[in-house]
Amino acid sequence: MEKRFLLLQYYNSSKKVVFSGALTLNLVSENIRAKFRITSFTAKYWDKDVEDFVDLEESSIEDLQEDRVIKVRVFPNPNAEVAGVTMVTTLNQEREHREPPRDEVQPSSGMLVEVQQVKMETDAPRTSEEAPPNSQGCMTPADDGRLESAHELPNRKPWPKTYVFPSAACPRSLLQKLETQEPLEKRDISLLKDILYKDASLYEGGLYPSVERYSLLVDTILSTFPYLAKQGEDMPLHLVRVYWREKLKQKWGNERKVRDRDRPEVQARTRKRKSEPSEEPASKRVNLTWGLANFLPPPLPSEDSESIEAHVDWLQREFKKTAPCMPKVYLKMNLTFPERRRNVITQGLGVGDLLLKYPWLHQREQLLTEFSRLEPNTACQNMDDLLMDGFSKYHDSITRLAKGRKMPRFQRDFYEEMLLLRIDSQRKYSSQCAAVLGLGTLFKEKMEKVVKVKDTPDGEMAIQLIALDKISTTSSGAFQVHLEGHLVFVGDTFMQAVAGLMAAIYTFNLAYPKECEKTFLFIQKIVLRLADDEQVDKRIVSVLAQIQKERNNSK
């Protein structure tokens, strides 16, 4: 069985634990207690997705099972005893503990290890051997300006009218990188967030910034160092702002959980959140995440109910002919479009009923035309062109990032087939197919629930794309798209099937499948550049930043 490694860091001490098999929470906690002789602690692991240390919890163990190296940092709980001596933290120790060396590997992600705390004798008299809390060279957690165990800071500064980036607090190495506009590494970004947190939390409201203040902090970063706004040549400015805002919000949340959890204001908000139940059960919440939902054009002045009924009857009869008049089909589909949208939006007509009434929607070409009738706010209205052009920028980077990660068997087989291709056009097309599947891998979504190879439709899934042979197949009718249990259309290639599926989702006003919701949102917002009023999900921004970095590194 393959060896795996657990790297434990506790202040300046690092311990390597070799193990095999599954990782468990008990394995981590027992090794921490054995290696460092502490009984009460908090652990955080390195999360590749957010590029920072986050709390190690039981629920995150599954995400770590594929990682060969798991990096964990250990923090003592306030007043925890180590080998019978009260732990006193110095500022230098904490800084060294928080900043990973540049040459270290940054493996996986984290959880909160909860160990039963031993009773501390806080009321016992201090002996002469114990260091007083304010002795020279030492500093208790409450004295370092970040952790207040009993009282709020008495004189918190008012928030300034113009917030200025605290350059004086920057290490010389980081400041030099920022001034010379060098790309920031993960360690640099982590240090930059730490500097902002230490400074901003000293102001009134700095511990819980409002949306406006988060935006103010982002503006400060981007105005002081404008080159940071250019995360990638194709990354819009509003996504760059979302990227930095989510980085700061995640930083603030983590610090409040660990270093500042004893502050009265943090405890008060934590109690409030626990006492206020959610307005609606999570199982009943539905996220309607499409870009063209509820588009309802006005009826045409030339048409009434009788003429619409006549058009529908003609379309149904013409569909049965072996040589239909296609120009007239397109004309009557245009004339009945407003009524068709009313059937979907107002009457809630399902996929089966709509296909029965308008059988021409079984054709992929008609679905693509229906997408253009929806008047999308895109560069062009041809779904095939939008999809191919959009993925042409990202497919190589997505494919490289997805390799080596956990993925379904059919996807791994397809990646292996790509290595045998020698013709440039075949390699480019295969890389675009691999990018669609790779997005599911980067978002850690269950792509196999939506895309099936040599399998039958799953009755429980509303949206499915089925490859009758392999993903790389290019032959007549090699792919099927099923919606709500109905075979909607067949396609000759995988990318044709994906383009038709996206058009069908908007045509029938369907929600993205929850198993691959982030993948479909990425295709909508980044690949197709189909904007809507919904806020950009932070996971999409994070994955886009990884892709942009990979693109820049490959140039």
Side-chain angles (χ1 to χ4, degrees):
M1 189 173 292
E2 183 184 14
K3 288 183 179 180
R4 302 177 67 191
F5 303 94
L6 182 63
L7 180 61
L8 304 175
Q9 292 184 335
Y10 185 65
Y11 293 106
N12 295 329
S13 178
S14 296
K15 303 291 184 182
K16 182 177 76 172
V17 178
V18 182
F19 70 101
S20 58
L23 178 73
T24 64
L25 195 61
N26 186 59
L27 173 68
V28 178
S29 59
E30 288 298 328
N31 275 285
I32 291 174
R33 284 183 286 193
K35 298 292 184 182
F36 304 117
R37 296 190 299 161
I38 57 176
T39 56
S40 180
F41 56 87
T42 298
K44 303 176 82 173
Y45 72 100
W46 181 262
D47 192 319
K48 297 176 183 176
D49 295 330
V50 298
E51 299 177 0
D52 205 347
F53 284 91
V54 297
D55 293 340
L56 186 64
E57 298 169 337
E58 186 70 44
S59 59
S60 55
I61 285 290
E62 183 179 352
D63 294 336
L64 298 172
Q65 297 300 344
E66 297 298 320
D67 295 320
R68 186 166 176 267
V69 181
I70 299 97
K71 186 174 183 179
V72 177
R73 284 185 176 175
V74 184
F75 299 84
N77 284 338
N79 299 325
E81 292 186 359
V82 181
V85 181
T86 302
M87 173 58 63
V88 180
T89 307
T90 68
L91 183 57
N92 289 335
Q93 281 178 320
E94 185 163 348
R95 281 179 176 170
E96 292 174 3
H97 179 60
R98 288 183 51 78
E99 301 170 15
R102 190 183 301 267
D103 56 349
E104 281 189 4
V105 181
Q106 295 175 337
S108 185
S109 15
M111 29 176 140
L112 176 64
V113 180
E114 295 183 355
V115 183
Q116 183 177 5
Q117 296 189 12
V118 297
K119 184 177 180 181
M120 302 298 169
E121 299 180 359
T122 55
D123 297 331
R126 180 178 290 116
T127 65
S128 58
E129 297 179 354
E130 296 182 43
N134 294 320
S135 60
Q136 187 176 4
C138 293
M139 182 177 293
T140 62
D143 293 329
D144 71 356
R146 290 170 296 185
L147 211 168
E148 304 160 47
S149 59
H151 303 287
E152 181 62 61
L153 287 176
N155 296 316
R156 193 174 293 278
K157 299 183 291 186
W159 193 270
K161 292 182 179 180
T162 304
Y163 184 78
V164 179
F165 182 80
S167 300
C170 273
R172 187 177 182 82
S173 58
L174 176 60
L175 194 58
Q176 185 176 2
K177 275 192 174 183
L178 293 168
E179 290 175 348
T180 56
Q181 300 187 7
E182 296 180 32
L184 297 184
E185 300 177 6
K186 294 178 181 179
R187 177 178 180 273
D188 300 322
I189 294 176
S190 179
L191 184 56
L192 181 64
K193 293 186 297 181
D194 202 48
I195 291 167
L196 279 173
Y197 178 81
K198 292 174 186 176
D199 185 72
S201 60
L202 297 176
Y203 293 97
E204 294 177 356
L207 196 58
Y208 283 93
S210 61
V211 175
E212 292 78 12
R213 284 190 178 162
Y214 274 124
S215 298
L216 175 64
L217 292 171
V218 172
D219 289 338
T220 300
I221 296 173
L222 299 182
S223 60
T224 308
F225 310 105
Y227 84 99
L228 294 178
K230 301 175 183 178
Q231 293 286 330
E233 57 187 24
D234 298 311
M235 194 170 184
L237 180 59
H238 74 280
L239 290 185
V240 176
R241 291 176 55 81
V242 172
Y243 169 81
W244 281 102
R245 185 173 67 244
E246 293 302 328
K247 286 281 187 185
L248 295 181
K249 288 172 68 176
Q250 192 262 346
K251 170 68 177 179
W252 258 249
N254 279 341
E255 294 301 329
R256 289 195 298 261
K257 284 181 182 178
V258 180
R259 291 198 296 183
D260 294 333
R261 61 185 176 186
D262 290 332
R263 287 188 177 184
E265 57 207 281
V266 175
Q267 291 180 344
R269 293 210 181 199
T270 302
R271 286 193 295 269
K272 185 178 180 181
R273 284 196 299 269
K274 290 181 179 178
S275 62
E276 292 180 356
S278 175
E279 296 179 359
E280 186 179 1
S283 58
K284 295 184 178 180
R285 295 175 191 156
V286 178
N287 294 321
L288 303 179
T289 49
W290 49 73
L292 298 172
N294 303 329
F295 177 74
L296 193 61
L300 298 175
S302 61
E303 304 301 320
D304 56 20
S305 58
E306 293 183 3
S307 65
I308 293 294
E309 186 176 349
H311 294 325
V312 171
D313 181 65
W314 184 90
L315 287 167
Q316 292 174 353
R317 287 185 284 106
E318 197 72 8
F319 185 73
K320 299 176 183 179
K321 295 182 179 180
T322 56
C325 178
M326 292 310 299
K328 200 170 181 180
V329 168
Y330 278 94
L331 173 62
K332 290 187 178 290
M333 287 293 285
N334 285 334
L335 294 175
T336 56
F337 175 66
E339 175 64 20
R340 196 157 50 252
R341 291 305 292 176
R342 248 180 296 282
N343 293 154
V344 174
I345 304 301
T346 307
Q347 301 173 13
L349 215 60
V351 173
D353 293 333
L354 204 64
L355 288 172
L356 191 63
K357 187 173 182 179
Y358 299 97
W360 287 100
L361 293 178
H362 276 291
Q363 288 193 348
R364 194 186 82 94
E365 292 72 17
Q366 283 297 329
L367 290 171
L368 300 185
T369 305
E370 195 82 346
F371 173 76
S372 66
R373 294 186 185 111
L374 289 168
E375 301 177 5
N377 54 357
T378 51
C380 72
Q381 296 184 351
N382 185 298
M383 178 64 80
D384 281 331
D385 292 342
L386 285 171
L387 198 68
M388 299 300 283
D389 291 344
F391 270 113
S392 66
K393 303 173 184 176
Y394 306 111
H395 62 88
D396 286 335
S397 301
I398 295 173
T399 304
R400 286 194 298 269
L401 285 172
K403 282 182 179 178
R405 301 195 185 189
K406 184 179 180 181
M407 60 180 66
R409 180 65 189 176
F410 74 85
Q411 184 179 348
R412 192 172 299 281
D413 291 342
F414 178 61
Y415 274 45
E416 292 175 357
E417 288 180 27
M418 291 174 56
L419 300 176
L420 305 177
L421 300 177
R422 292 294 178 264
I423 302 175
D424 288 343
S425 59
Q426 291 180 343
R427 295 174 66 179
K428 180 179 178 181
Y429 171 75
S430 297
S431 182
Q432 290 176 329
C433 297
V436 176
L437 301 173
L439 285 175
T441 301
L442 297 182
F443 286 114
K444 298 181 181 179
E445 294 184 314
K446 297 180 179 179
M447 203 68 175
E448 65 274 15
K449 292 285 188 179
V450 176
V451 179
K452 289 183 172 290
V453 178
K454 297 180 182 179
D455 204 349
T456 56
D458 185 348
E460 296 182 358
M461 292 298 298
I463 297 175
Q464 286 192 315
L465 191 160
I466 298 178
L468 300 182
D469 186 17
K470 297 186 295 185
I471 297 295
S472 57
T473 302
T474 56
S475 61
S476 178
F479 297 87
Q480 298 178 348
V481 169
H482 294 255
L483 301 178
E484 295 182 354
H486 301 276
L487 173 60
V488 179
F489 72 91
V490 295
D492 300 339
T493 68
F494 180 71
M495 293 305 288
Q496 283 185 2
V498 173
L501 174 58
M502 293 299 297
I505 287 174
Y506 298 130
T507 296
F508 297 105
N509 215 48
L510 303 177
Y512 297 141
K514 279 209 158 296
E515 290 78 6
C516 296
E517 185 179 55
K518 299 292 189 298
T519 297
F520 279 91
L521 277 172
F522 187 97
I523 294 175
Q524 173 201 315
K525 294 178 180 291
I526 308 303
V527 177
L528 302 179
R529 290 187 176 271
L530 182 58
D532 58 15
D533 296 331
E534 297 291 332
Q535 184 178 358
V536 181
D537 189 279
K538 62 182 180 180
R539 288 284 290 115
I540 293 175
V541 178
S542 176
V543 168
L544 179 59
Q546 295 176 39
I547 296 170
Q548 293 288 11
K549 184 176 180 180
E550 179 64 27
R551 288 186 68 199
N552 294 335
N553 292 340
S554 63
K555 289 181 180 179

